[in-house]
Amino acid sequence: MPGPRRGRSAAGAGGRRHESDEARILQRLRRLPAQRDALRIALAPYADDRGGIDEQKWREAFESGDPNVIRQVWEVTGGYQTLVNHYMEMLYAGAKLVGLPVSADASRPPGPDLIAAVRADGGLSTHKAEALTALYRTRNRLQHASPDVDADEVRAQVATLLRMVRGLL
């Protein structure tokens, strides 16, 4: 398997597209700590003694019919979706910077295809690619309010996302 390609841009060396992709990555990296902290703040009502997410508190909130509690849950799921979106945007901009074929089209590739291409190029380990794919799929299901999204799945995915974001900072 070939190693990662570095320093190539889909627009050619020194192109504006290259600079804008770098700027997008940097802008998102700068906002990542504040957004991670906002997600942690949203999670505070569900915290356990170890700093994790209490299963019972989270399940009760996730399944609640109280509009105020639903709003609090939305803060968590919205923060989760935002962080996954940022992660995917950085991955896409990085793929464009190194000239991966998956990013050559004007249309964006499906998330799992982008993740697989970056993994195949050496930009993600198999473990991280699998975790990011699961995060992305949960994000899609939350976004479309799938009734099969379960409180435990969201709780586990939020914890995984926070660990992965910590690895970027």
Side-chain angles (χ1 to χ4, degrees):
M1 173 166 28
R5 292 179 291 274
R6 306 227 186 271
R8 290 191 350 216
S9 166
R16 279 191 195 165
R17 191 163 162 188
H18 180 82
E19 292 170 10
S20 68
D21 291 335
E22 285 180 353
R24 282 179 34 215
I25 292 171
L26 290 173
Q27 178 185 27
R28 289 181 187 281
L29 279 172
R30 278 189 216 105
R31 291 205 31 91
L32 209 50
Q35 290 172 337
R36 176 211 50 214
D37 292 347
L39 179 55
R40 285 183 177 156
I41 290 167
L43 285 166
Y46 317 109
D48 63 19
D49 296 337
R50 299 176 319 274
I53 305 167
D54 183 276
E55 291 179 38
Q56 186 62 33
K57 288 180 191 174
W58 174 249
R59 179 183 307 289
E60 287 173 8
F62 192 82
E63 296 172 354
S64 175
D66 180 326
N68 287 313
V69 176
I70 291 169
R71 180 194 49 79
Q72 290 176 317
V73 169
W74 283 353
E75 289 175 6
V76 173
T77 59
Y80 170 86
Q81 290 177 62
T82 297
L83 283 170
V84 172
N85 288 344
H86 281 289
Y87 209 115
M88 294 302 295
E89 280 295 319
M90 288 186 292
L91 201 62
Y92 179 70
K96 284 173 48 179
L97 279 170
V98 299
L100 290 183
V102 73
S103 66
D105 267 350
S107 64
R108 291 182 185 263
D113 293 352
L114 174 62
I115 294 164
V118 172
R119 187 207 50 77
D121 194 57
L124 287 171
S125 68
T126 299
H127 175 74
K128 281 198 175 181
E130 289 170 355
L132 186 54
T133 300
L135 294 173
Y136 181 82
R137 288 189 171 134
T138 299
R139 180 208 67 120
N140 282 353
R141 290 173 49 231
L142 281 170
Q143 204 170 32
H144 300 290
S146 293
D148 67 330
V149 178
D150 160 278
D152 289 335
E153 175 187 358
V154 175
R155 182 185 50 77
Q157 294 292 30
V158 167
T160 298
L161 177 62
L162 287 171
R163 282 191 304 275
M164 288 183 71
V165 167
R166 183 178 41 216
L168 289 174
L169 302 175

Coordinates of all heavy atoms in Angstrom, one line a residue, residues 2 11 23 26 31 40-41 45 47 50 54 56 75 83-84 87-88 93-94 105 112 132-133 135 138-139 157 161 166:
P2 N 0.7 2.2 -0.9 CA 1.5 3.4 -0.9 C 1.3 4.3 0.3 O 0.2 4.3 0.9 CB 1.0 4.1 -2.2 CG -0.4 3.6 -2.5 CD -0.4 2.2 -1.9
A11 N -5.6 22.0 -7.1 CA -5.5 23.2 -7.9 C -4.1 23.4 -8.4 O -3.9 24.4 -9.1 CB -6.0 24.4 -7.2
A23 N -6.7 27.2 5.1 CA -7.3 28.1 5.9 C -8.6 27.5 6.6 O -8.8 27.7 7.8 CB -7.7 29.4 5.1
L26 N -7.3 25.2 9.4 CA -6.9 26.0 10.5 C -8.0 26.7 11.3 O -8.0 26.7 12.5 CB -5.8 27.1 10.1 CG -4.5 26.5 9.6 CD1 -3.6 27.6 9.0 CD2 -3.8 25.8 10.8
R31 N -11.4 26.6 16.3 CA -12.7 26.6 17.0 C -12.9 25.3 17.8 O -13.8 25.2 18.6 CB -13.8 26.8 16.0 CG -13.8 28.2 15.5 CD -15.0 28.8 14.9 NE -16.3 28.4 15.5 CZ -16.9 28.9 16.5 NH1 -16.4 30.0 17.2 NH2 -18.1 28.5 16.9
R40 N -19.0 19.6 26.3 CA -18.8 19.2 27.7 C -19.8 19.9 28.6 O -20.4 19.3 29.5 CB -17.4 19.4 28.1 CG -16.5 18.4 27.5 CD -15.1 18.6 28.0 NE -14.1 17.6 27.5 CZ -12.8 17.8 27.4 NH1 -12.3 19.0 27.8 NH2 -12.1 16.9 27.0
I41 N -20.0 21.2 28.4 CA -20.9 22.0 29.2 C -22.4 21.4 29.0 O -23.1 21.3 30.0 CB -20.9 23.5 28.9 CG1 -19.5 24.1 29.3 CG2 -22.0 24.3 29.5 CD1 -19.2 25.5 28.8
P45 N -25.2 18.2 32.9 CA -26.3 17.6 33.7 C -26.3 16.1 33.8 O -27.0 15.5 34.6 CB -27.6 18.1 33.0 CG -27.1 19.3 32.2 CD -25.7 19.0 31.8
A47 N -23.5 14.1 33.9 CA -22.1 13.7 34.3 C -22.2 12.7 35.4 O -23.1 12.8 36.3 CB -21.2 14.8 34.6
R50 N -17.1 10.0 37.6 CA -15.8 9.8 37.0 C -15.6 10.8 35.8 O -14.6 10.7 35.1 CB -15.7 8.4 36.5 CG -15.7 7.4 37.6 CD -15.7 5.9 37.1 NE -16.5 5.7 35.9 CZ -17.8 5.4 35.9 NH1 -18.5 5.3 37.0 NH2 -18.4 5.1 34.7
D54 N -23.4 9.6 32.8 CA -24.2 8.7 33.6 C -25.3 8.1 32.7 O -26.1 8.8 32.1 CB -24.9 9.4 34.7 CG -25.7 8.5 35.6 OD1 -26.9 8.2 35.3 OD2 -25.1 8.0 36.6
Q56 N -28.1 6.3 33.3 CA -29.5 6.5 33.7 C -29.9 7.9 33.4 O -31.0 8.1 32.9 CB -29.6 6.1 35.1 CG -31.1 6.1 35.6 CD -31.9 5.1 34.8 OE1 -31.5 4.0 34.4 NE2 -33.2 5.4 34.6
E75 N -29.0 20.2 22.8 CA -27.7 20.9 22.9 C -26.5 19.8 22.8 O -25.5 20.1 22.2 CB -27.6 21.6 24.3 CG -28.5 22.8 24.3 CD -28.5 23.5 25.7 OE1 -27.7 23.1 26.6 OE2 -29.3 24.4 25.9
L83 N -19.5 18.9 15.8 CA -18.1 18.4 15.9 C -17.8 17.3 14.9 O -16.7 17.3 14.3 CB -17.8 17.8 17.3 CG -17.5 18.9 18.4 CD1 -17.5 18.3 19.8 CD2 -16.2 19.7 18.1
V84 N -18.8 16.4 14.6 CA -18.6 15.4 13.5 C -18.4 16.2 12.2 O -17.6 15.8 11.4 CB -19.7 14.4 13.5 CG1 -19.6 13.5 12.3 CG2 -19.6 13.5 14.8
Y87 N -15.0 17.7 11.9 CA -14.0 16.6 11.7 C -14.0 16.2 10.2 O -13.0 16.1 9.5 CB -14.3 15.4 12.6 CG -13.2 14.6 13.0 CD1 -12.8 14.5 14.3 CD2 -12.4 13.9 12.0 CE1 -11.7 13.7 14.7 CE2 -11.4 13.1 12.4 CZ -11.0 13.0 13.7 OH -9.9 12.2 14.1
M88 N -15.2 16.0 9.7 CA -15.4 15.6 8.3 C -14.9 16.7 7.3 O -14.3 16.4 6.3 CB -16.8 15.2 8.0 CG -17.3 14.0 8.7 SD -16.3 12.5 8.4 CE -16.7 12.2 6.6
A93 N -11.0 18.7 3.4 CA -10.0 19.7 3.0 C -8.6 19.1 2.9 O -7.9 19.4 2.0 CB -10.0 20.9 4.0
G94 N -8.3 18.3 3.9 CA -7.0 17.6 3.8 C -6.9 16.7 2.6 O -5.8 16.6 2.0
D105 N -13.8 15.6 -7.6 CA -15.0 16.1 -8.1 C -15.5 17.4 -7.4 O -15.1 17.7 -6.3 CB -16.1 15.1 -7.8 CG -16.3 14.1 -9.0 OD1 -15.7 14.4 -10.1 OD2 -17.0 13.1 -8.8
P112 N -18.5 8.0 4.3 CA -17.8 6.7 4.4 C -16.8 6.5 3.3 O -15.7 6.0 3.5 CB -18.9 5.6 4.4 CG -20.1 6.3 4.9 CD -20.0 7.8 4.4
L132 N -14.6 6.8 13.2 CA -15.2 8.0 12.5 C -16.4 7.6 11.6 O -17.3 8.4 11.5 CB -14.1 8.7 11.7 CG -14.4 10.0 11.0 CD1 -15.0 11.0 12.1 CD2 -13.2 10.6 10.3
T133 N -16.3 6.5 11.0 CA -17.5 6.0 10.2 C -18.7 5.8 11.0 O -19.8 6.3 10.7 CB -17.1 4.8 9.4 OG1 -16.0 5.0 8.5 CG2 -18.3 4.3 8.6
L135 N -19.3 7.3 13.9 CA -19.7 8.7 14.4 C -20.5 9.3 13.3 O -21.5 9.9 13.5 CB -18.5 9.5 14.7 CG -17.6 9.1 15.9 CD1 -16.4 10.0 16.0 CD2 -18.4 9.2 17.2
T138 N -24.0 7.7 12.9 CA -24.9 8.2 14.0 C -25.3 9.6 13.8 O -26.5 10.0 14.0 CB -24.2 8.0 15.4 OG1 -23.9 6.6 15.6 CG2 -25.0 8.5 16.5
R139 N -24.4 10.5 13.3 CA -24.7 11.9 13.1 C -25.9 11.9 12.0 O -26.8 12.6 12.2 CB -23.5 12.6 12.5 CG -23.8 14.1 12.2 CD -22.9 14.6 11.1 NE -23.2 13.9 9.8 CZ -23.6 14.5 8.7 NH1 -23.8 15.8 8.7 NH2 -23.8 13.9 7.6
Q157 N -21.2 7.2 21.5 CA -20.6 7.9 20.4 C -20.1 9.3 20.8 O -19.1 9.8 20.3 CB -21.6 8.0 19.2 CG -22.0 6.7 18.6 CD -20.8 6.1 17.8 OE1 -19.6 6.2 18.1 NE2 -21.1 5.3 16.8
L161 N -16.3 10.5 20.3 CA -16.0 11.7 19.6 C -15.1 12.6 20.5 O -14.1 13.2 20.0 CB -17.3 12.5 19.3 CG -17.1 13.8 18.6 CD1 -16.4 13.7 17.3 CD2 -18.5 14.5 18.4
R166 N -9.9 15.1 21.3 CA -8.7 15.3 22.1 C -7.4 14.9 21.4 O -6.4 15.6 21.5 CB -8.9 14.5 23.4 CG -7.8 14.7 24.4 CD -7.9 13.9 25.7 NE -8.5 12.5 25.4 CZ -9.3 11.9 26.2 NH1 -9.8 12.5 27.3 NH2 -9.7 10.7 25.9

